[in-house]
Amino acid sequence: MHGAAQRLATHAEQILGVPLPVRLRAWDGTEHGPPGTPVIVLRNRRALRRILFKPGELGLVRAWVSGDLAVEGDLYEALDLLAGVVWETERPPLGPLDAVRDPQVRAAALDVARLAGPFLPPPPPPEEAPVRRLGGRHTKGRDRKAISHHYDVGNDFYERVLGPSMVYSCAYWQDDATLESAQRDKLDLICRKLGLAPGMRLLDVGCGWGSMTLHAAREYGVQVVGVTLSREQAAYARKRAAEQGLADRVEIRVQDYRDVRDGPYDAISSIGMAEHVGAVRYLEYAEDLFALLKPGGRLLNHQIARRPQDDEAAYHVDAFIDAYVFPDGELAPVGSTVAQLERAGFEVRDLEALREHYALTLRAWVRNLEANWEECVRLAGAGRARVWLLYMAASALSFERNRIGVNQVLAVRTPAEGHPGLPLRARRWTALSARSDTGRDGTSPDRPDGSAADRGEAGARREEPRGRAPGSGDDGTTPAPRSPESV
């Protein structure tokens, strides 16, 4: 009689129709599969029951989150190899046995069921969001619960994963960058694209732990309103503002963006928030932000995008992400996002793709999580830590393989006369070196005279009169921002 590992590997290949690219180790200690590859460890029969009751991605994830399944070796390599057979195989996932017509597949599935033991469905791990959520999709109440599921898991946990910047979106990398410098440069890139200057009002939609809000107030002298649906994030952001002496320039609200009514604003930043909006609400989102801007005001929409499908009606949210990470989150192709912004009245002036930057950011977060693993488990629980490890590692691969991307879209509420307030060569923000090469007064450390050739955005923004609209210099120019980094 063969051991459990060989039986499982043989049946998996029959069911999937392709060779299994990883090694298996079963609860009886037996192993089978190609040597030198990552090892998928089924620690008990319950792992197999989880997979059988939810064949495909969700069953595997439930086994992983519960700790019934583990990976020995390189997790990135294991996910990359498994993607080709679990997520990309042409054979559909195994359904009810009475619907399986192929006799070989049916026999294999029956033997796997015998191996699984008493066939009782294990309950989902407690980290899984409820399948039935109250209220219609993307109502205010349901969105509030979805945001809480993801973000209200403890600020201390997020500090260990995200690092001191507490920025939960793609950074902007250079070869010698650290995560902190790359996140700082991302925030500054956005401020430059928005043309921020002292005296302006900025609305930061989905402000998270306040990093963009505080950066804009501190470095650009603007008045900022940050809104979030997470009470934990809001409390953390207010504390940071007080500690940095910015409470007079920063207001943090627990508020839905749909309830903001105190416009107009000179600029709006929306960083990693629009993924929560949903296709059914996206035009409303774009119209609301358009209405909150002054004529000539700018929106910077920083958003993850998926590849377009031949049949867009067939798009469905990834089962793992929906159940464990971002309940009700949705991704759209970047073309759809641009079209909706234009329908709302915006003129789209610039689009920058930062896909590779997010992969680098996610790998940095994975390193942080692994380096602080015991502490993260203590703070959020082993299941939550496993959710985050899987989510971030799999997402890094998705960005690297061009399955998903991320884009910064700069849009303007262009006045009726047609002048958007941007220079003819609008991409001056990518022409200069990073902040480390520019002094606080806008001069280069190597050129104390601060000649025009060395002037950066810091110097340019201080020459604008307070309250001047974005990019409304007498010569039609806007402050010249900094170098490319991460998303």
Side-chain angles (χ1 to χ4, degrees):
M1 176 71 68
H2 295 302
Q6 184 173 352
R7 287 169 68 185
L8 286 172
T10 300
H11 294 331
E13 291 178 353
Q14 290 174 319
I15 293 169
L16 294 169
V18 293
L20 203 60
V22 293
R23 194 167 180 82
L24 288 185
R25 181 186 304 144
W27 54 89
D28 62 354
T30 60
E31 289 191 19
H32 189 77
T37 61
V39 181
I40 306 302
V41 183
L42 300 173
R43 289 175 167 162
N44 48 54
R45 295 175 188 268
R46 188 171 54 249
L48 196 53
R49 291 198 290 273
R50 290 189 185 280
I51 295 168
L52 285 173
F53 272 97
K54 282 292 182 182
E57 179 180 350
L58 191 56
L60 285 167
V61 167
R62 285 179 172 177
W64 166 270
V65 174
S66 65
D68 296 328
L69 179 150
V71 174
E72 287 186 6
D74 189 317
L75 179 60
Y76 291 107
E77 182 184 0
L79 292 171
D80 216 14
L81 292 169
L82 285 171
V85 296
V86 177
W87 288 275
E88 297 173 8
T89 181
E90 292 184 2
R91 183 167 293 195
L94 191 63
L97 279 177
D98 57 6
V100 178
R101 300 289 178 239
D102 187 315
Q104 270 195 323
V105 172
R106 184 179 175 82
L110 285 169
D111 194 40
V112 171
R114 283 191 288 269
L115 273 171
F119 213 55
L120 297 174
E127 292 78 13
E128 186 169 313
V131 175
R132 294 180 179 176
R133 305 180 182 106
L134 295 176
R137 198 175 182 86
H138 298 297
T139 59
K140 292 178 183 179
R142 183 158 158 172
D143 280 354
R144 190 162 48 249
K145 288 182 173 62
I147 293 297
S148 179
H149 173 84
H150 185 71
Y151 294 103
D152 292 339
V153 299
N155 293 330
D156 291 343
F157 171 78
Y158 279 103
E159 283 181 339
R160 303 311 189 275
V161 176
L162 303 180
S165 70
M166 288 297 281
V167 179
Y168 186 37
S169 57
C170 153
Y172 194 56
W173 294 86
Q174 296 190 115
D175 290 340
D176 59 347
T178 64
L179 176 61
E180 295 311 305
S181 68
Q183 290 290 18
R184 177 202 66 203
D185 286 350
K186 185 272 298 297
L187 298 177
D188 208 63
L189 177 68
I190 291 172
C191 290
R192 292 169 183 268
K193 287 181 176 181
L194 289 172
L196 298 183
M200 291 182 177
R201 292 185 77 213
L202 169 69
L203 174 64
D204 187 18
V205 179
C207 67
W209 293 273
S211 298
M212 172 64 190
T213 298
L214 299 176
H215 184 89
R218 182 181 60 250
E219 301 297 328
Y220 288 80
V222 297
Q223 296 290 131
V224 192
V225 172
V227 297
T228 175
L229 293 178
S230 166
R231 295 189 178 277
E232 288 195 23
Q233 286 184 332
Y236 190 95
R238 290 178 188 131
K239 182 173 182 289
R240 294 174 77 188
E243 290 172 347
Q244 296 180 28
L246 296 171
D248 61 329
R249 278 184 265 168
V250 167
E251 180 187 358
I252 304 295
R253 303 174 185 168
V254 179
Q255 186 178 35
D256 193 291
Y257 73 92
R258 288 164 282 195
D259 294 328
V260 177
R261 294 289 182 267
D262 62 343
Y265 288 87
D266 297 285
I268 299 175
S269 55
S270 178
I271 308 170
M273 177 270 175
E275 296 89 341
H276 296 285
V277 171
V280 69
R281 297 284 185 185
Y282 204 91
L283 181 59
E284 175 188 350
Y285 158 82
E287 290 173 340
D288 283 350
L289 299 191
F290 183 86
L292 286 167
L293 278 172
K294 292 179 179 178
R298 303 181 195 178
L299 164 69
L300 192 289
N301 191 76
H302 178 118
Q303 182 178 341
I304 298 172
R306 62 176 171 83
R307 304 290 297 174
Q309 298 182 181
D310 292 337
D311 179 10
E312 280 294 320
Y315 167 70
H316 63 275
V317 179
D318 179 272
F320 166 46
I321 299 296
D322 190 45
Y324 286 93
V325 186
F326 293 111
D328 290 342
E330 295 178 36
L331 301 183
V334 65
S336 299
T337 296
V338 168
Q340 294 287 60
L341 291 172
E342 290 182 331
R343 285 182 64 194
F346 282 105
E347 180 185 10
V348 172
R349 297 292 306 205
D350 186 77
L351 189 153
E352 185 172 4
L354 299 168
R355 177 173 61 82
E356 297 90 339
H357 293 273
Y358 219 152
L360 292 169
T361 306
L362 285 156
R363 284 184 178 263
W365 290 340
V366 167
R367 288 193 295 272
N368 284 347
L369 176 57
E370 291 177 332
N372 296 285
W373 183 259
E374 296 301 327
E375 185 72 358
C376 287
V377 168
R378 183 185 68 80
L379 291 168
R384 181 72 62 185
R386 283 193 284 264
V387 167
W388 277 84
L389 179 58
L390 180 62
Y391 155 62
M392 294 190 299
S395 295
L397 289 170
S398 291
F399 282 105
E400 289 169 356
R401 301 295 184 262
N402 193 26
R403 298 185 186 111
I404 53 177
V406 64
N407 306 281
Q408 287 187 356
V409 179
L410 179 65
V412 180
R413 179 172 175 169
T414 302
E417 64 272 17
H419 195 295
L422 285 162
L424 289 176
R425 297 185 178 185
R427 279 208 165 183
R428 291 178 60 199
W429 48 74
T430 63
L432 301 180
S433 59
R435 175 182 295 277
S436 59
D437 297 329
T438 304
R440 190 67 180 79
D441 61 351
T443 63
S444 165
D446 299 324
R447 297 288 296 277
D449 61 326
S451 61
D454 292 310
R455 274 190 182 271
E457 164 65 15
R461 68 172 178 264
R462 280 165 175 72
E463 294 173 357
E464 282 198 41
R466 292 178 65 87
R468 177 168 287 182
S472 60
D474 294 335
D475 59 354
T477 63
T478 191
R482 168 163 90 237
S483 76
E485 258 191 344
S486 82
V487 71

